[in-house]
């Protein structure tokens, strides 16, 4: 066995059924592509049926086993139907990656109740509903290595993000929901963990970086001096999804290039600052 083969199988995800919500673009798409390279069988869920099929066909052309299900993750009935379809086509899920999300801009003073409810229904309630829908499948693996939940939250779940409506509140809720699931389902060999991205370049944020100086300023706000890519999140998700993270439970990994540790560098400290 070569070193390359060892590395390719190190995460032990071959033939494991991995469900990814919000899979059609951005972080979700990157997660699906990384899991595919590890030999996982993929269940792709997204509201955008056309984009979902494009990704599914791409992965199938690479020889991957894929089920694609168009689904609104804020709708319990659609999620239950999706879970049944996935189990029928691929078998019971080993991993659920909760990633689908929306954002509605606006201050809390101006945000409408409809927008508040929409963000919470997708970004928080949808994660709980997906866990419920796939819960029996995940718990069915208690005797054969267990299963995992990975929830994509955000650095905004710890630090308020002005004019982003209910987004920070929803992502903070995701972090505690994950811990709650870990406590309630841990005895059934289901782990639940969170990835909290910082500034990540995705199609939704592409317009930001088209503005002069934005990428430079955002890069300077991180310890790594660069903006993150969707693949940076996907690799962290793949680890938490895998049996290699078998004793990681109720945890959160901040994948922000060190931005959350830069607070003291953002305030004047005469005599301590120096140009690089």
């Amino acid at each position: 066995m070569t070193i390359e083969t060892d590395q390719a199988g190190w995460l032990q995800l071959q033939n494991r059924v991995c469900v990814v919500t919000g899979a059609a673009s951005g972080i979700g798409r990157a997660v699906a592509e990384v899991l595919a390279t590890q030999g996982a069988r993929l269940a792709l869920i997204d509201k955008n049926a056309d984009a979902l099929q494009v990704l599914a066909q791409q992965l199938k052309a690479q020889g991957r086993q894929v089920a694609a299900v168009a689904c609104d993750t804020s709708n319990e009935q659609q999620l239950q139907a999706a879970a049944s379809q996935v189990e029928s086509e691929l078998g019971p899920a080993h991993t659920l990656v909760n990633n689908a999300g929306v954002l509605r801009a606006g201050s809390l003073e101006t945000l409408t109740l409809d927008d508040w409810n929409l963000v919470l229904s997708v970004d928080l309630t949808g994660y709980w509903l997906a866990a419920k829908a796939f819960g029996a499948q995940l718990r069915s693996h208690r005797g054969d290595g267990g299963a995992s939940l990975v929830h994509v939250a955000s650095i905004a779940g710890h630090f308020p993000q002005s004019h982003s409506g209910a987004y920070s509140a929803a992502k903070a809720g995701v972090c505690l929901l994950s811990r709650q699931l870990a406590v309630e389902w841990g005895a059934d060999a289901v782990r639940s963990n969170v990835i909290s991205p910082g500034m990540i370049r995705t199609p939704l944020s592409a317009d930001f970086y088209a503005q002069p100086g934005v990428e430079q300023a955002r890069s300077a706000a991180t310890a790594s001096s660069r903006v993150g890519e969707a693949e940076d999140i996907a690799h962290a998700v793949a680890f938490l999804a895998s049996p290699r993270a078998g004793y990681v439970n109720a945890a959160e990994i901040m994948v922000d290039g060190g931005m959350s540790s830069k607070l003291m560098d953002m305030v004047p400290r005469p005599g301590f600052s120096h140009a690089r």
Side-chain angles (χ1 to χ4, degrees):
M1 184 177 290
T2 65
I3 292 175
E4 290 76 9
T5 301
D6 284 340
Q7 290 174 341
W10 187 83
L11 288 178
Q12 301 176 345
L13 286 168
Q14 300 96 323
N15 294 316
R16 292 174 72 90
V17 178
C18 295
V19 182
V20 183
T21 73
S25 64
I27 289 172
R29 183 185 181 110
V31 168
E33 290 172 341
V34 167
L35 293 175
T37 67
Q38 294 298 314
R41 290 180 284 164
L42 292 168
L44 310 177
I45 293 177
D46 202 286
K47 193 174 181 179
N48 187 334
D50 291 339
L52 192 65
Q53 286 301 322
V54 169
L55 175 59
Q57 292 306 315
Q58 172 191 316
L59 294 175
K60 287 177 179 178
Q62 298 171 6
R64 313 301 181 187
Q65 191 170 354
V66 179
V69 186
C71 174
D72 178 354
T73 56
S74 68
N75 185 297
E76 185 171 17
Q77 288 71 37
Q78 289 187 29
L79 272 170
Q80 292 288 350
S84 295
Q85 181 177 337
V86 169
E87 186 169 23
S88 175
E89 293 188 26
L90 299 177
H94 295 82
T95 292
L96 168 64
V97 180
N98 266 325
N99 169 73
V102 297
L103 186 150
R104 290 294 182 269
S107 69
L108 292 178
E109 182 180 9
T110 62
L111 191 71
T112 67
L113 179 59
D114 284 345
D115 280 347
W116 171 273
N117 286 337
L118 173 65
V119 172
L120 287 177
S121 70
V122 177
D123 294 7
L124 177 56
T125 305
Y127 281 28
W128 166 60
L129 291 175
K132 279 186 66 179
F134 286 95
Q137 296 180 38
L138 297 172
R139 291 192 294 272
S140 74
H141 295 293
R142 65 175 65 85
D144 62 357
S148 62
L149 290 152
V150 186
H151 313 277
V152 179
S154 171
I155 191 174
H158 294 275
F159 303 97
Q161 186 170 267
S162 299
H163 304 290
S164 291
Y167 187 77
S168 291
K171 293 303 186 180
V174 166
C175 294
L176 192 53
L177 172 65
S178 176
R179 292 166 60 192
Q180 186 78 23
L181 285 163
V183 168
E184 294 194 10
W185 292 3
D188 290 322
V190 179
R191 299 177 295 106
S192 179
N193 295 291
V194 169
I195 294 290
S196 285
M199 292 179 294
I200 304 298
R201 190 195 322 270
T202 69
L204 289 177
S205 63
D207 288 346
F208 293 163
Y209 298 103
Q211 304 301 314
V214 169
E215 177 147 4
Q216 181 180 9
R218 287 190 163 209
S219 296
T222 73
S224 296
S225 297
R226 71 174 177 89
V227 172
E229 306 293 343
E231 291 76 13
D232 293 314
I233 306 304
H235 289 297
V237 169
F239 169 69
L240 288 181
S242 78
R244 291 293 188 180
Y247 201 55
V248 182
N249 200 8
E252 178 182 2
I253 299 178
M254 195 82 76
V255 186
D256 67 347
M259 183 175 71
S260 54
S261 295
K262 290 273 286 183
L263 175 63
M264 294 308 297
D265 279 356
M266 296 179 185
V267 297
R269 299 178 68 217
F272 288 87
S273 301
H274 65 278
R276 292 184 61 182

